[in-house]
Amino acid sequence: MLYAILAYHVEAEVMSWTPEEDAAVMTGLLKVHDRLNANKLLGPAARLGGTAEARTLRGPGDGMVIDGPFAETKEQLLGLYVVDCADDGAAIGIARDLRRVNPSAVYEIRPIRLYLPGEALPETAQGGQG
């Protein structure tokens, strides 16, 4: 089953890291990535750009484009991983590995379903609930 691991952090803290501090965190994360890749568990992963560059589309009709993230929170979504795990316990274990090398981050683990436009989700193709 696929799980999204969403990485939240206080953006100002991350932006204040020296290049050496950032490289140290990334070195630790890359070790986790290498292990996940070796076990064929890691899908797409991304480090998102700053929230100052983000835009949100919301509202009725064509919507309105506004600056920044859609919610004001202490922590911002700064990255994400897609992992293929047998169950949520395995996904939580991966999030714990990531947190060991980036202990001030918060990780949200959420099951996801792959959506391919024009193709039925497996649950609906078999007549189940989707």
Side-chain angles (χ1 to χ4, degrees), residues 50-74:
T51 57
E53 300 169 44
R55 304 293 175 264
T56 300
L57 177 64
R58 67 177 336 146
D62 285 341
M64 177 190 317
V65 176
I66 58 175
D67 290 342
F70 72 96
E72 292 188 29
T73 62
K74 178 181 174 187

Side-chain angles (χ1 to χ4, degrees), residues 9-18 21 74-76 78 102-105:
H9 216 296
V10 177
E11 186 174 28
E13 181 180 331
V14 173
M15 300 307 254
S16 73
W17 291 346
T18 65
E21 290 170 321
K74 178 181 174 187
E75 295 150 342
Q76 291 77 36
L78 298 183
N102 192 3
S104 57

Side-chain angles (χ1 to χ4, degrees), residues 96-116:
R96 285 189 172 130
D97 288 343
L98 295 168
R99 187 164 161 69
R100 280 186 196 94
V101 297
N102 192 3
S104 57
V106 174
Y107 293 95
E108 175 184 347
I109 299 94
R110 189 182 299 184
I112 59 173
R113 294 186 299 174
L114 185 60
Y115 171 70
L116 299 172

